[in-house]
Amino acid sequence: MKNQHIINSVLHIADTTLILGQRNAAWCAHGPILEQDIAITNITLDLIGQARNFYQYAASLINEADNKNETEDTLAFLRNERDFKNFLICELPNGDWAQTILRQFFFSTFQQLMYQKMMHSSDNQLAAIAAKSIKETNYHVKWSSEWVIRLGDGTDESNQRMKNAIEYLWSYTGEFFIAADYESIDVAGLKHEWLEKVKLVFEEATLSIPENTFMQTGGKTGVHTEHLGFILPEMQSLQRNFPGVEW
Amino acid sequence: MHIQIKKFYYGDIPEENTGGSGNTEKHTNELSWPLWEVFIRSKQGLDHKHAGSLRAADAEMAVENARDVYTRRQEGVSIWVVESKHVHASNPDDAEMFYEPASDKIYRHPTFYDLPDELKHM
Amino acid sequence: MSVIDLEKAFQDKIDKEIKIEPKDWMPEAYRKTNLRQISQHAHSEIVGMLPEGNWISRAPSLKRKAILIAKVQDEAGHGLYLYSAAETLGTSRDQMVEDLNSGKAKYSSIFNYPTLTWADMGAVGWLVDGAAILNQVMLCRTSYGPYARAMVRICKEESFHQRQGFESLLVLSKGSQAQRDMCQDAINRWWWPSLMMFGPKDSESTNSDQSIKWKIKRKTNDELRQQFVDMIVEQVKLLGMTLPDPNLKWNEARKHYDFGEINWEEFWNVVKGNGPCNKQRLAARNKAHDEGAWVRAAALAYAEKRKNRLKTKAA
């Protein structure tokens, strides 16, 4: 069972980075200005690259254990809604630029802390992927923090839009810190530091953390929002319609 | 000189009076992000070289935009940005007095000096 | 110097292959021609992101998804380099974008065709980028310095676009019957629009070709189109596919392939705004721009605030 736990925890990160990548990719060609269209697309490419590394690793673990022929693509394109283990926050609609960059900020700040732990994992493969990925994530944190500050402390409209985004997204951040039974990283232990970092950026952005502390959960165990059921059929359509061929 | 311009500018795009109106008057009230010039050092030991320009709200964003726009293929290890309005340039009309006086100072070049072949290390 | 002398000196420079730089004297018509051509080229890159962006969410493998995103992103970069080059001629990017969004400025008509199946990604890369590259390679030697430099950078980046397109079709051509059908169908739909990308026949252009004299363009529409046909006819053989033109035939006397007549009525219809996607493309550009307005304003407002705070601190 230990192996199944590792596989699930790898799939959880793979699904999370893929679904967020899939969402962010929708900005490509539709960004607020060319330079930022390019910027968020770089983040998208980083996330999809990370997803591929984790899927490949998960596939090798599964194939080793069960003598199967999984690949990064079978795992990404042939699993169903209840199998996906991504955070709920990743599958939420992009909303406006405020909602997109705030989600990136919440997630990347968590991911940075998580990779810092994973870099010291006894699993060499995971440690190596984390060491490579964290360089990308450090940039995502920098970029998204700056946007949170810029919009929070920008115009009245941008400040209001950030408040709306916080209101919408906040209850999806609790899930980061509630470990699933398959997780070995002490994610609960990251919460304090994450909160401190968020507070610091919010302070500069003249924003505040909501009082409301109710948190949505379920993503890690495959109980999703209604949105995932639309993301997957679109993303998986070719693999489903033309099974077993090369692309 | 009577100038006639061909009707097609870029590939299949016809009509002279479309696009790039040359009219600098803007119709919206929106203010633009300032223009920045980007200089990239392609590897340690080399000079920063002009790569192009971009738009950014402030210097910090200009550096990051330069990173995202101009170094996607590992083109750089260091970035400079300067707001375009701060670049002062020489005037092309001054080219003659600026650059031509140097053309007859051939004694500044090592090849001006005729030395015997036996002379080494020089 | 009189204007006549200036114009003569200018033409001498062009004839000697000396590049023209932004602050150099240039005839007003040269400036305008370049501005229009470069901005139209930039608009084409930007609108060109849409038909391919259409398949990012559905790319059939993670590798293809990453490649497609990188390619569409490159096009944003190319648009940006070109807007920058055009800005050196005295018009702001905002003005150019406004001209595009209002429908005043034109972009390449090819992007008003829809991308209907995954094979279109391959066909667009191979045929549309292939046609564009012929134009762009020529433009690397164009007489206006900033345009030429932008084109050199673009050509360097663009070289993977056509290759990935062909490679993606190659995989389909070796795949299942359904994939081969998809591949042939995409080639059938994109072949003629690709030929139209080079513009009307030289014989239809009654004006003397000032663009060639000024070395803004270095080859005529027909020369480039012929070069493209000769190239593609050979390449399609490697796919085991066909081009939808019964009149394609090697002409031993001309040492070129003869090809059939382009449907010019369709061409003009798309140019005039009646293409399958003209309205959708402009609507998408306008939506992105309008919805980004508050973002751009907020970033400026914040930059201003911070500048003032630093000043107050220093004082």
Side-chain angles (χ1 to χ4, degrees):
Chain A
M1 222 45 237
K2 186 175 164 284
N3 202 41
Q4 190 56 47
H5 282 176
I6 297 174
I7 290 168
N8 282 339
S9 64
V10 175
L11 283 174
H12 155 62
I13 309 170
D15 292 341
T16 289
T17 45
L18 174 61
I19 297 299
L20 185 55
Q22 176 80 359
R23 278 303 197 198
N24 280 350
W27 280 106
C28 185
H30 305 275
I33 188 168
L34 266 181
E35 283 83 349
Q36 293 301 323
D37 197 310
I38 294 170
I40 194 164
T41 304
N42 268 346
I43 293 178
T44 301
L45 283 169
D46 288 342
L47 291 170
I48 290 172
Q50 292 178 14
R52 293 184 67 186
N53 287 330
F54 287 111
Y55 279 129
Q56 284 164 15
Y57 183 44
S60 74
L61 290 174
I62 295 168
N63 297 342
E64 218 171 276
D66 294 343
N67 202 17
K68 283 189 179 167
N69 278 314
E70 299 288 358
T71 65
E72 59 174 27
D73 288 330
T74 61
L75 293 175
F77 294 97
L78 299 175
R79 281 156 64 243
N80 293 320
E81 288 83 347
R82 294 282 280 108
D83 303 324
F84 267 69
K85 295 172 177 54
N86 58 281
F87 288 129
L88 300 178
I89 198 170
C90 301
E91 70 204 41
L92 299 179
N94 287 340
D96 60 8
W97 187 250
Q99 197 172 308
T100 294
I101 61 100
L102 182 67
R103 166 170 60 192
Q104 195 65 51
F105 170 65
F106 284 157
F107 172 70
S108 296
T109 304
F110 163 77
Q111 202 188 30
Q112 186 180 44
L113 298 171
M114 194 269 291
Y115 280 152
Q116 279 166 7
K117 291 266 183 250
M118 196 189 281
M119 281 167 68
H120 305 292
S121 166
S122 56
D123 183 320
N124 290 337
Q125 188 65 29
L126 278 184
I129 300 175
K132 179 176 178 291
S133 303
I134 198 165
K135 295 175 191 162
E136 298 169 347
T137 303
N138 289 342
Y139 188 79
H140 305 169
V141 171
K142 177 175 162 62
W143 179 87
S144 59
S145 306
E146 285 167 8
W147 267 111
V148 169
I149 293 165
R150 212 173 266 140
L151 296 184
D153 193 18
T155 60
D156 290 346
E157 181 180 0
S158 69
N159 179 270
Q160 188 55 50
R161 283 175 183 267
M162 281 307 291
K163 285 177 180 154
N164 297 346
I166 295 169
E167 173 69 26
Y168 181 64
L169 292 173
W170 184 251
S171 68
Y172 294 96
T173 59
E175 203 183 10
F176 295 155
F177 311 107
I178 301 168
D181 60 2
Y182 52 74
E183 274 182 295
S184 60
I185 291 178
D186 171 25
V187 285
L190 304 176
K191 186 172 181 178
H192 178 73
E193 203 177 336
W194 181 84
L195 210 54
E196 288 306 305
K197 286 182 178 235
V198 170
K199 271 185 193 157
L200 213 63
V201 170
F202 271 25
E203 205 170 299
E204 207 179 332
T206 70
L207 297 167
S208 43
I209 285 171
E211 306 284 315
N212 171 19
T213 51
F214 180 79
M215 291 294 165
Q216 303 287 346
T217 56
K220 288 181 179 182
T221 49
V223 183
H224 289 274
T225 68
E226 290 180 345
H227 302 292
L228 190 69
F230 291 91
I231 296 175
L232 294 188
E234 181 178 348
M235 183 175 82
Q236 299 177 337
S237 61
L238 281 162
Q239 288 270 353
R240 300 276 187 187
N241 290 340
F242 303 91
V245 297
E246 290 285 311
W247 295 97
Chain B
M1 186 160 90
H2 180 61
I3 294 161
Q4 276 191 312
I5 297 167
K6 200 179 174 206
K7 276 180 83 180
F8 281 68
Y9 298 107
Y10 177 64
D12 59 350
I13 306 165
E15 297 173 58
E16 285 169 32
N17 55 353
T18 51
S21 53
N23 172 0
T24 45
E25 169 204 351
K26 264 187 33 155
H27 305 108
T28 58
N29 297 320
E30 191 182 330
L31 286 171
S32 306
W33 286 3
L35 190 66
W36 301 74
E37 299 302 319
V38 177
F39 300 83
I40 308 269
R41 185 200 296 287
S42 59
K43 64 176 197 184
Q44 294 291 106
L46 296 182
D47 292 328
H48 285 78
K49 192 173 163 234
H50 187 236
S53 55
L54 49 74
R55 297 262 170 192
D58 53 44
E60 194 175 34
M61 193 205 271
V63 170
E64 289 171 22
N65 288 352
R67 177 257 189 197
D68 286 324
V69 172
Y70 290 103
T71 68
R72 295 197 305 283
R73 290 175 170 78
Q74 298 183 291
E75 291 95 335
V77 295
S78 166
I79 294 170
W80 286 351
V81 294
V82 57
E83 215 180 315
S84 307
K85 68 177 182 193
H86 297 311
V87 174
H88 298 270
S90 63
N91 187 337
D93 294 343
D94 295 337
E96 280 184 15
M97 68 170 174
F98 264 51
Y99 312 114
E100 286 191 18
S103 67
D104 65 350
K105 316 289 193 290
I106 48 175
Y107 45 80
R108 287 189 189 274
H109 299 278
T111 47
F112 178 74
Y113 303 92
D114 230 350
L115 296 174
D117 289 347
E118 301 86 71
L119 184 71
K120 299 292 177 203
H121 306 298
M122 191 170 282
Chain C
M1 263 202 276
S2 72
V3 172
I4 303 284
D5 291 341
L6 284 167
E7 279 176 355
K8 192 181 170 306
F10 175 81
Q11 188 63 51
D12 283 351
K13 251 166 131 178
I14 301 251
D15 293 342
K16 279 191 246 164
E17 300 286 335
I18 297 171
K19 298 275 187 244
I20 306 302
E21 295 296 342
K23 295 183 83 166
D24 294 346
W25 186 90
M26 62 185 85
E28 187 53 20
Y30 176 85
R31 193 183 67 80
K32 277 194 170 162
T33 307
N34 262 297
L35 183 56
R36 286 200 193 98
Q37 180 170 329
I38 301 168
S39 62
Q40 288 175 346
H41 193 165
H43 297 329
S44 301
E45 296 281 352
I46 299 308
V47 178
M49 297 169 75
L50 296 168
E52 289 178 284
N54 181 35
W55 278 88
I56 287 175
S57 67
R58 294 172 291 171
S61 71
L62 295 179
K63 182 184 87 176
R64 293 285 173 207
K65 191 188 285 288
I67 292 171
L68 185 59
I69 293 171
K71 175 176 189 286
V72 178
Q73 187 201 34
D74 272 353
E75 278 150 20
H78 299 171
L80 197 155
Y81 308 154
L82 288 161
Y83 281 130
S84 300
E87 285 199 89
T88 64
L89 290 160
T91 297
S92 72
R93 191 205 300 180
D94 279 359
Q95 178 64 54
M96 292 183 263
V97 168
E98 197 182 297
D99 287 346
L100 171 68
N101 290 353
S102 69
K104 188 176 166 201
K106 296 281 186 236
Y107 54 87
S108 191
S109 286
I110 191 84
F111 303 117
N112 290 320
Y113 286 88
T115 50
L116 301 180
T117 72
W118 170 251
D120 288 27
M121 296 303 97
V124 167
W126 175 44
L127 296 174
V128 176
D129 289 336
I133 287 168
L134 288 183
N135 223 330
Q136 290 171 344
V137 166
M138 165 189 82
L139 288 170
C140 289
R141 294 166 55 235
T142 193
S143 59
Y144 187 57
Y147 194 19
R149 289 193 287 276
M151 288 318 306
V152 168
R153 185 177 282 274
I154 289 171
C155 282
K156 243 186 239 168
E157 299 187 355
E158 191 89 23
S159 58
F160 103 80
H161 295 183
Q162 198 191 7
R163 291 173 72 95
Q164 68 81 32
F166 190 84
E167 190 248 3
S168 151
L169 291 183
L170 197 59
V171 171
L172 295 180
S173 74
K174 291 175 178 163
S176 67
Q177 186 60 45
Q179 285 177 305
R180 287 198 297 278
D181 292 347
M182 191 191 280
C183 179
Q184 183 63 60
D185 168 64
I187 294 170
N188 291 350
R189 279 182 291 109
W190 287 95
W191 171 248
W192 290 107
S194 302
L195 289 189
M196 293 177 199
M197 282 177 75
F198 298 97
K201 287 198 244 186
D202 296 343
S203 55
E204 305 282 311
S205 307
T206 47
N207 295 336
S208 74
D209 198 346
Q210 185 66 46
S211 281
I212 295 235
K213 187 166 176 237
W214 277 337
K215 297 188 181 170
I216 297 174
K217 285 184 76 162
R218 288 172 171 265
K219 285 180 182 171
T220 70
N221 295 350
D222 283 340
E223 283 168 358
L224 286 168
R225 186 164 21 235
Q226 183 68 60
Q227 196 182 342
F228 179 71
V229 170
D230 292 347
M231 180 177 93
I232 298 296
V233 170
E234 293 305 318
Q235 291 175 352
V236 77
K237 291 176 187 167
L238 291 172
L239 293 174
M241 298 283 150
T242 57
L243 297 172
D245 181 358
N247 297 317
L248 263 178
K249 209 172 66 212
W250 177 252
N251 182 326
E252 187 56 33
R254 290 200 311 126
K255 299 281 179 210
H256 285 297
Y257 280 93
D258 291 336
F259 53 97
E261 190 63 30
I262 288 169
N263 181 348
W264 293 110
E265 195 187 325
E266 176 183 325
F267 172 79
W268 286 111
N269 256 317
V270 181
V271 165
K272 282 176 190 146
N274 298 324
C277 299
N278 294 54
K279 290 188 178 67
Q280 291 88 328
R281 301 294 186 236
L282 265 198
R285 283 319 308 157
N286 273 291
K287 184 167 183 282
H289 187 74
D290 294 348
E291 288 179 358
W294 70 270
V295 179
R296 298 190 297 272
L300 265 189
Y302 173 72
E304 196 59 30
K305 277 186 197 174
R306 206 171 59 157
K307 214 189 286 170
N308 291 337
R309 270 178 222 147
L310 284 174
K311 263 189 215 153
T312 328
K313 248 191 213 165

